């Protein structure tokens, strides 16, 4: 694919996943100190646990070793640049608490080398703490410091309000409508001293690349909150990730990974208690596959940096910047290329102006003279401005105050193309030189001062050509909408050393825009196009001739305008053609008459009740002291539910009264004689609270008492069957220096009151569940032993209506019905060369575990325990016909369960947020979908 890889194979991965990636069978070995944690905030080395870590690395690392850049051959190019050891494994906390174990890091690093890893090893400090730095001087806490090759640290700066560290102690900021805008001071405080701090650690950190293995790309969401990722996206806006990226570059960072460009789905029970099914993360690419406006803003910055990568590879901060402003907080920093073919400068514009102004004056110092330029960019946005750069046709750019999106360079003909976003305020300042200026977007008069010519623009799109005696500089202006779709393909020499089109200085050989998604397939030598209904034409600029006869020259219609920048008798190289000769356009098909509202009706509904007596019940085990073991971890019942049963006889009194006191994690449902009598959830976002999603859980708290009296049997043998379902949100992930992976799951304590011990021995508690060790996919279970059995089901016809142009099925659900299985089918016939992602919409105050073709795809909590109502159905799991939807359903209160399979009605182009289908006119509505095309070369 032509991409480099920074591999993070664990053994600990975090990622808001169950147990941080450790398997449940390992957690169940209670003699082990998982991640060497003995207690909260303290580790002691456990050689037995370490042996399992090494065992994992011995199996996974040889695979990575085959793909290292240090293992190249004549026929194979490696892609792995480095290997991360563990994840956020602090050496110290706050520079004081020595929480890291040198033996742990040593054994993992040695295991990597023993497995054949020869590329650099690196760490990712949870933040810039200075852990595991090579060649670092000893200190009070570390007399014999141990470091590995590269120091890396993660950077999460702006927390979603309901997830801020404050929320670990105080339950607040849960109403998204009350959130305040994020404060630029947070970014300034968190980012603007990174280089000084890290270089100040000394040792390897003073010289090695500034490295962010994880830079914030969004944030996750939690149970029991009422907002979704859409509100988190709106909180961050479309510019934050780009701001953080460019701010990182301003601090000298040259190696960086975004966490996470695509969040995706916690299918099954993969997530830990921090997260539910969707892991959309409000990321640059939304869960259903749409690249959001935030992702497109980030892409603009990435393309600029990649286009000038030879100049960006190493830079130093300038002590005396050539660009300044009287307005505070609009210029963050300036850097200059080091050991490059040019000493280009990069000025990092970041508009944190406290008065929120969009237009500013900047002062440019050039050869002892200062001249003024304007810059226009909205509050809380950023861009990188190029300066002190000479083009291949001999023009010297003193300073740009306009965003340059990308550049193409053809040294053989001395031609260069810049793709820019023009506005009426910004400009390009060139050293005075004889040049012919033609085009249809520039101001007709060059402003000259102090040996500099300022080129301004009157239009937001078009072309300008700067001709000198030696070649051409083409400027292609893209308006905001076009710039949001720009794409470039880079044929880097490392991957394409024998390719004649491998561009100079890392510049792209092809730039295109105008479609939802563009990608150059190097195997087929074709530009792959995915257009949405709004796209009309694709623009392509390339040095290579295309075989596609549909391409048309992008010939501008306005007459030529000429501006003379120097003496009339200067030698001028001219060209009779207008526009950019390498610029062509492909008109796209109009799909407005296609079916744009997607409806996938559910048919062939069937149902069956839960048959409790046919499950494989087993008596609870006991510990060495004879106490009953309720904890699901000890039975490896860690995916979804664990089931408990107690059969007892109604007390032989005139007015029997029986109660159940129950303490469980996380969602307990009590069923008496087949009827659900209620349930409760024990979960908290706060530390040291019952059901804590992270950190210590005071397991002795959180009990609830249920009155079983109204549901007692008064007939026959007076036997009662009590079922307790406990639905776990997953194992805690042992993050940082927490010791929470064995926080109890299932019932912690259950006591029946009002039953004589003579008629109810304690051993009558039984347990049932799904042992994840026996599953090929250990997260693909709702915890019910009968979920995969082919048990006969009865047909029924639920009510169906239209909602937003799609079929909505509603099914009455009452606690008296107990637990049910439903099943239905649907088809998804998609025309060739089209992609239509599907959304499963659920509504109503009920609980559902939804399987799609045997895959557990959705955990639904309609009572408010989970905010998710719209679930992405992965494309690869959907068949053209006979898709089977199987749903485990139950409710604590009477409700109507609503189910629909439909398209994604979202804001595109734009955020990608879900729209309320009831508020969109179906005659104007369009679900997100794309049509495929290609341009062959």
């Amino acid at each position: 694919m032509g991409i480099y890889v920074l591999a993070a194979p664990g053994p600990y991965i975090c990622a808001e996943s169950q147990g941080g990636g450790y398997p449940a069978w390992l957690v169940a070995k209670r003699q082990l100190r998982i991640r060497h944690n003995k207690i909260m905030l303290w580790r002691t080395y456990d050689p037995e646990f370490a042996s399992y870590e090494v065992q994992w690395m011995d199996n996974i690392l040889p695979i990575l070793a085959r793909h290292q850049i240090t293992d190249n051959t004549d026929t194979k190019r490696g892609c792995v640049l480095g290997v991360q050891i563990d994840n956020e494994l602090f050496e110290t906390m706050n520079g004081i608490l020595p929480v890291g174990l040198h033996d742990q890091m040593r054994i993992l690093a040695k295991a990597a080398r023993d497995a054949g890893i020869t590329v650099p090893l690196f760490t990712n400090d949870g933040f810039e703490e200075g852990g595991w730095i090579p060649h670092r001087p000893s200190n009070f806490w570390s007399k014999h410091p141990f470091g590995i090759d590269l120091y890396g640290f993660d950077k999460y700066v702006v927390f979603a309000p309901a997830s801020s560290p404050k929320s670990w102690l105080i339950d607040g900021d849960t109403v998204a409508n009350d959130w305040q805008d994020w404060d630029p001071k947070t970014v300034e405080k968190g980012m603007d001293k990174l280089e000084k701090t890290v270089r100040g650690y000394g040792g390897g950190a003073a010289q090695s690349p500034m490295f962010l293995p994880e830079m914030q790309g969004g944030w996750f969401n939690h149970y029991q909150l009422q907002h979704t990722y859409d509100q988190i996206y709106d909180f961050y806006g479309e510019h934050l990730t780009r701001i953080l990226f460019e701010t990182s570059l301003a601090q000298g960072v040259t190696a960086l990974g975004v966490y996470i460009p695509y969040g995706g789905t916690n299918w099954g029970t993969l997530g830990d208690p921090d997260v539910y099914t969707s892991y959309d993360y409000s990321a640059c690419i939304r869960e259903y596959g749409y690249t959001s406006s935030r992702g497109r803003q980030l892409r603009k910055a990435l393309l600029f940096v990649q286009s000038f990568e030879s100049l960006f590879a190493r830079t130093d901060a300038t002590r005396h910047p050539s660009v300044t402003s009287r307005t505070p907080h609009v210029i963050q920093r300036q850097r200059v290329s080091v050991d490059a073919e040019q000493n280009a400068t990069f000025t990092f514009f970041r508009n944190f102006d406290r008065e929120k102004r969009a237009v500013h004056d900047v002062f440019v110092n050039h050869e002892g003279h200062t001249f003024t330029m304007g810059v226009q960019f909205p509050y809380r946005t950023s861009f990188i401005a190029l300066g002190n750069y000479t083009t291949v046709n001999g023009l010297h750019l003193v300073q740009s105050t306009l965003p340059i999106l990308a550049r193409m360079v053809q040294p053989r003909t001395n031609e260069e193309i810049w793709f820019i976003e023009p506005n009426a305020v910004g400009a390009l300042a060139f050293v005075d030189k004889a040049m012919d200026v033609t085009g249809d977007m520039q101001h007709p008069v060059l402003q000259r001062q102090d040996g500099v010519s300022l080129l301004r623009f009157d239009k937001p799109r078009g072309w300008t050509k700067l001709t000198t005696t030696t070649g051409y500089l083409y400027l292609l202006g893209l308006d905001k909408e076009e710039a949001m779709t720009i794409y470039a393909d880079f044929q880097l020499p490392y991957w394409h050393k024998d390719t004649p089109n491998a561009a100079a200085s890392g510049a792209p050989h092809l730039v295109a825009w105008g479609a939802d998604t563009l990608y150059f397939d190097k195997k087929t030598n074709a530009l792959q196009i995915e257009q949405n209904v709004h796209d009309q034409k694709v623009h392509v600029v390339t040095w290579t001739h295309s075989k596609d006869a549909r391409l048309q020259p992008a010939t501008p219609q306005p007459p030529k305008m000429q501006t003379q920048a120097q003496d009339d008798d200067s030698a001028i190289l001219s060209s009779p053609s207008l526009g950019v000769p390498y610029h062509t356009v492909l008109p796209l098909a109009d799909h407005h008459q296609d079916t744009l509202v997607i409806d996938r009706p559910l048919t062939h509904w069937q149902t069956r009740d839960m048959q409790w007596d046919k499950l494989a019940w087993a008596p609870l085990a006991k510990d060495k002291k004879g106490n009953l073991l309720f904890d699901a971890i000890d039975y490896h019942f860690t995916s979804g539910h664990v089931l408990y049963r107690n059969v007892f006889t109604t007390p032989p009194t005139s007015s029997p009264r029986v109660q159940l006191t129950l303490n469980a994690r996380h969602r307990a449902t009590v069923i008496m004689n087949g009827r659900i009598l209620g349930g409760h959830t024990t979960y908290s976002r706060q530390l040291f609270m019952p059901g804590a999603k992270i950190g210590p859980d005071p397991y002795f708290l959180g009990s609830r008492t249920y009155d079983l009296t109204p549901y007692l049997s008064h007939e026959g043998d007076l036997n009662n069957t009590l079922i307790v379902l406990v639905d776990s949100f997953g194992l805690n992930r042992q993050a940082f220096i927490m010791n929470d992976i064995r926080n109890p799951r299932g019932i912690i304590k259950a006591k029946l009151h009002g039953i004589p011990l003579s008629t109810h021995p304690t051993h009558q508690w039984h347990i049932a569940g799904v042992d994840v060790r026996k599953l090929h996919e250990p997260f693909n279970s709702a915890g019910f032993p009968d979920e995969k059995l082919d048990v006969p089901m009865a047909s029924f016809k639920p009510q169906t209506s239209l909602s937003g142009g799609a079929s909505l099925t509603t099914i009455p659900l009452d606690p008296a019905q107990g637990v049910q299985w439903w099943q239905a089918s649907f088809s998804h016939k998609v025309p060739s060369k089209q992609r239509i992602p599907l959304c499963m919409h659920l509504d109503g105050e009920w609980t559902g575990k939804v399987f799609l073709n045997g895959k557990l795809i959705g955990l639904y909590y309609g009572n408010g325990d989970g905010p998710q109502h719209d679930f992405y159905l992965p494309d690869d799991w959907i068949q053209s016909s006979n898709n089977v939807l199987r749903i485990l359903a139950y409710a604590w209160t009477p409700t109507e369960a609503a189910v629909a399979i439909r398209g994604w009605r979202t804001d595109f182009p734009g955020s990608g947020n879900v729209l309320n289908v009831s508020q969109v006119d179906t005659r104007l509505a369009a679900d997100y979908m794309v049509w495929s095309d290609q341009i062959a070369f």
Side-chain angles (χ1 to χ4, degrees):
M1 294 180 65
I3 61 173
Y4 295 109
V5 173
L6 292 169
Y12 179 75
I13 63 169
C14 188
E16 289 72 62
S17 58
Q18 269 221 61
Y22 293 129
W25 60 262
L26 190 72
V27 180
K29 294 180 180 293
R30 291 189 177 270
Q31 79 277 13
L32 298 179
R33 292 191 291 276
I34 302 298
R35 216 181 177 197
H36 304 277
N37 288 7
K38 185 173 185 179
I39 57 173
M40 175 83 166
L41 300 177
W42 197 256
R43 293 186 173 118
T44 55
Y45 184 71
D46 182 347
E48 185 180 1
F49 176 74
S51 70
Y52 285 107
E53 292 184 292
V54 173
Q55 183 184 92
W56 163 256
M57 298 184 84
D58 284 347
N59 280 272
I60 196 71
L61 291 184
I63 300 173
L64 296 176
R66 295 197 293 269
H67 300 280
Q68 299 174 101
I69 61 170
T70 51
D71 194 35
N72 290 337
T73 66
D74 292 338
T75 58
K76 177 179 71 71
R77 309 292 285 174
C79 61
V80 177
L81 295 173
V83 173
Q84 178 178 304
I85 299 298
D86 210 79
N87 184 82
E88 294 180 340
L89 186 62
F90 285 92
E91 185 176 13
T92 60
M93 287 288 291
N94 294 319
I96 299 176
L97 190 63
V99 296
L101 293 177
H102 289 184
D103 284 346
Q104 181 184 9
M105 185 59 79
R106 283 191 180 96
I107 198 70
L108 294 176
K110 182 177 185 302
R113 295 303 186 209
D114 290 346
I117 297 299
T118 53
V119 294
L121 305 177
F122 65 92
T123 58
N124 63 327
D125 244 355
F127 44 93
E128 59 278 21
E129 280 281 278
W132 315 115
I133 292 174
H135 314 300
R136 189 178 184 184
S138 60
N139 56 46
F140 177 80
W141 294 111
S142 184
K143 302 297 184 183
H144 304 285
F146 176 77
I148 59 177
D149 302 321
L150 293 178
Y151 175 63
F153 58 96
D154 296 347
K155 202 62 193 173
Y156 295 88
V157 184
V158 182
F159 293 94
S163 302
S164 70
K166 183 178 70 173
S167 72
W168 296 357
L169 301 175
I170 302 172
D171 186 13
D173 293 317
T174 59
V175 180
N177 290 338
D178 296 338
W179 290 352
Q180 301 295 313
D181 291 342
W182 60 267
D183 190 344
K185 294 178 182 178
T186 304
V187 176
E188 293 171 340
K189 181 179 179 181
M191 300 286 287
D192 287 359
K193 293 183 179 180
L194 288 183
E195 188 171 22
K196 179 180 179 181
T197 298
V198 173
R199 296 304 189 202
Y201 288 138
Q207 297 295 329
S208 62
M210 290 281 292
F211 183 15
L212 292 183
E214 295 181 23
M215 186 205 77
Q216 180 178 4
W219 198 253
F220 50 89
N221 203 25
H222 314 289
Y223 288 104
Q224 293 192 339
L225 296 175
Q226 300 312 300
H227 60 266
T228 68
Y229 286 105
D230 290 350
Q231 284 73 50
I232 295 178
Y233 184 98
D234 290 341
F235 170 72
Y236 287 133
E238 73 175 46
H239 293 277
L240 179 61
T241 304
R242 179 178 179 177
I243 290 172
L244 296 179
F245 172 69
E246 293 182 341
T247 299
S248 298
L249 298 182
Q251 291 295 312
V253 171
T254 54
L256 178 149
V258 176
Y259 192 90
I260 192 168
Y262 172 68
T265 305
N266 288 317
W267 65 272
T269 60
L270 179 63
D272 83 325
D274 245 334
V275 291
Y276 45 89
T277 296
S278 176
Y279 198 63
D280 177 89
Y281 212 77
S282 76
C284 291
I285 302 174
R286 305 306 297 269
E287 184 176 6
Y288 59 93
Y290 172 69
T291 301
S292 70
S293 53
R294 191 178 327 135
R296 296 170 190 273
Q297 287 289 352
L298 176 63
R299 182 170 60 190
K300 289 193 291 184
L302 290 168
L303 293 182
F304 171 78
V305 172
Q306 185 66 52
S307 294
F308 293 92
E309 65 89 20
S310 63
L311 305 177
F312 241 121
R314 183 182 174 191
T315 62
D316 282 342
T318 56
R319 293 186 177 183
H320 305 288
S322 61
V323 183
T324 58
S325 175
R326 291 197 182 101
T327 307
H329 312 295
V330 297
I331 297 177
Q332 183 201 352
R333 220 175 191 193
Q334 188 181 73
R335 303 190 72 87
V336 62
S337 302
V338 176
D339 297 332
E341 65 269 22
Q342 298 192 45
N343 293 326
T345 61
F346 299 98
T347 302
F348 292 83
F349 284 102
R350 186 183 65 185
N351 190 352
F352 284 173
D353 175 30
R354 303 306 193 245
E355 297 184 24
K356 304 182 181 180
R357 293 165 291 189
V359 177
H360 308 274
D361 286 336
V362 297
F363 306 99
V364 183
N365 183 281
H366 175 63
E367 296 184 347
H369 299 281
T370 300
F371 61 93
T372 303
M373 299 180 71
V375 62
Q376 179 179 6
F377 62 126
Y379 175 63
R380 292 198 310 181
T381 67
S382 66
F383 74 96
I384 306 171
L386 179 67
N388 196 34
Y389 171 82
T390 302
T391 65
V392 292
N393 71 328
L395 293 175
H396 186 78
L397 176 74
V398 177
Q399 186 61 49
S400 169
T401 55
L402 289 171
I404 298 174
L405 302 170
R407 70 159 179 169
M408 295 175 64
V409 180
Q410 184 52 272
R412 293 197 303 270
T413 57
N414 288 338
E415 293 177 286
E416 189 161 342
I417 306 173
W418 293 357
F419 302 84
I420 66 174
E421 285 189 84
N423 60 59
V425 177
L428 302 174
F430 293 96
V431 170
D432 272 343
K433 180 173 182 172
M435 59 179 167
D436 189 25
V437 184
T438 57
D440 65 358
M441 68 175 179
Q442 78 277 5
H443 189 74
V445 178
L446 286 177
Q447 179 184 344
R448 301 176 60 194
Q449 54 179 311
D450 297 323
V452 173
S453 296
L454 293 181
L455 180 62
R456 303 181 187 277
F457 301 90
D458 292 337
K459 297 179 181 179
R461 65 186 305 273
W463 65 277
T464 296
K465 180 165 64 176
L466 308 182
T467 306
T468 69
T469 57
T470 56
Y472 306 100
L473 171 63
Y474 301 99
L475 307 175
L476 269 172
L478 280 63
D479 62 26
K480 180 180 179 181
E481 289 72 23
E482 292 174 320
M484 294 291 271
T485 64
I486 191 171
Y487 163 81
D489 182 67
F490 298 84
Q491 291 190 340
L492 302 180
Y494 178 83
W495 301 107
H496 306 279
K497 61 179 181 178
D498 299 324
T499 302
N501 292 329
S505 301
H509 75 103
L510 175 148
V511 174
W513 66 93
D516 187 279
T517 305
L518 296 160
Y519 169 70
F520 188 81
D521 188 330
K522 294 177 176 62
K523 291 184 178 179
T524 62
N525 205 38
L527 178 66
Q528 303 297 325
I529 302 169
E530 287 188 345
Q531 69 169 110
N532 63 48
V533 68
H534 303 298
D535 298 331
Q536 298 178 351
K537 54 187 175 182
V538 168
H539 296 254
V540 181
V541 180
T542 181
W543 309 120
T544 307
H545 179 70
S546 171
K547 306 172 184 178
D548 198 319
R550 299 173 298 165
L551 286 173
Q552 305 170 0
T555 305
Q557 299 304 314
K560 175 179 177 181
M561 297 186 298
Q562 183 163 323
T563 304
Q564 195 65 37
Q566 192 66 290
D567 305 316
D568 290 337
D569 57 352
S570 299
I572 298 294
L573 183 77
S574 62
S575 170
S577 64
L578 296 178
V580 180
Y582 309 101
H583 180 190
T584 56
V585 174
L586 174 67
L588 298 174
D590 186 349
H591 291 286
H592 283 88
Q593 302 306 314
D594 291 17
T595 300
L596 301 179
V597 174
I598 303 304
D599 179 21
R600 297 293 183 256
L602 290 162
T603 61
H604 302 93
W605 280 94
Q606 296 177 289
T607 184
R608 70 174 174 88
D609 294 331
M610 179 61 60
Q611 297 176 324
W612 302 108
D613 58 335
K614 294 185 178 181
L615 298 182
W617 297 98
L620 286 180
K622 296 181 180 180
D623 62 17
K624 295 179 180 179
K625 296 181 179 180
N627 299 314
L628 293 177
L629 293 176
F630 282 98
D631 199 326
I633 294 174
D634 295 311
Y635 301 89
H636 306 99
F637 296 164
T638 55
S639 183
H641 296 81
V642 57
L643 288 58
Y644 302 87
R645 184 184 69 173
N646 198 305
V647 178
F648 64 92
T649 302
T650 301
T653 62
S654 57
S655 299
R657 180 175 175 81
V658 177
Q659 292 181 316
L660 170 68
T661 298
L662 181 65
N663 190 5
R665 303 291 187 272
H666 291 99
R667 299 182 85 244
T669 300
V670 179
I671 305 172
M672 184 71 169
N673 295 326
R675 177 190 176 94
I676 295 174
L677 58 92
H680 71 279
T681 303
T682 306
Y683 173 83
S684 179
R685 294 179 298 118
Q686 284 73 57
L687 295 169
F688 307 108
M689 296 297 289
K693 68 180 180 64
I694 188 170
D697 179 349
Y699 60 87
F700 47 87
L701 300 176
S703 295
R704 182 76 60 88
T705 298
Y706 291 86
D707 189 4
L708 309 183
T709 304
Y711 311 101
L712 291 172
S713 173
H714 296 283
E715 299 178 357
D717 56 11
L718 303 182
N719 279 344
N720 300 278
T721 300
L722 171 65
I723 304 289
V724 178
L725 313 180
V726 183
D727 188 4
S728 165
F729 290 156
L731 301 181
N732 286 31
R733 66 179 185 272
Q734 202 82 341
F736 305 121
I737 36 69
M738 302 294 182
N739 189 34
D740 58 7
I741 198 168
R742 291 196 181 106
N743 285 1
R745 294 296 178 259
I747 289 180
I748 297 174
K749 185 175 182 180
K751 186 174 182 179
L752 283 165
H753 307 274
I755 301 175
L757 290 179
S758 59
T759 61
H760 176 61
T762 56
H763 70 258
Q764 289 188 248
W765 279 107
H766 288 67
I767 191 170
V770 175
D771 187 339
V772 297
R773 295 174 300 176
K774 300 177 181 179
L775 297 177
H776 175 66
E777 297 168 324
F779 308 111
N780 191 35
S781 174
F784 279 71
D786 67 338
E787 62 194 10
K788 300 294 178 65
L789 299 180
D790 188 15
V791 180
M793 305 182 77
S795 299
F796 74 106
K797 290 186 177 181
Q799 181 178 348
T800 301
S801 60
L802 284 179
S803 174
S807 301
L808 182 71
T809 300
T810 54
I811 305 171
L813 189 58
D814 191 276
Q817 297 171 268
V819 178
Q820 296 186 317
W821 283 101
W822 297 333
Q823 183 171 299
S825 61
F826 68 94
S827 297
H828 186 48
K829 299 185 184 300
V830 179
S832 62
K833 297 185 177 181
Q834 192 173 2
R835 174 180 175 259
I836 305 176
L838 289 185
C839 169
M840 176 180 67
H841 178 77
L842 305 178
D843 213 342
E845 295 186 17
W846 57 290
T847 298
K849 310 288 180 172
V850 185
F851 291 82
L852 170 65
N853 297 327
K855 302 285 190 179
L856 181 56
I857 193 53
L859 312 180
Y860 175 69
Y861 303 107
N863 70 319
D865 280 344
Q868 187 173 4
H869 290 265
D870 296 296
F871 295 78
Y872 170 58
L873 303 183
D875 298 16
D876 291 343
W877 291 359
I878 300 177
Q879 305 160 174
S880 61
S881 60
N882 299 319
N883 293 286
V884 176
L885 208 66
R886 179 171 287 197
I887 305 173
L888 175 75
Y890 57 89
W892 294 346
T893 57
T895 188
E896 273 197 342
V899 186
I901 306 295
R902 60 195 190 194
W904 283 93
R905 191 79 46 84
T906 58
D907 172 34
F908 74 94
S911 65
N913 285 351
V914 175
L915 302 175
N916 188 332
V917 296
S918 63
Q919 298 177 357
V920 179
D921 188 339
T922 55
R923 296 170 297 178
L924 305 175
D927 296 336
Y928 177 73
M929 63 191 76
V930 292
W931 293 262
S932 299
D933 202 343
Q934 70 172 21
I935 300 173
F937 291 89

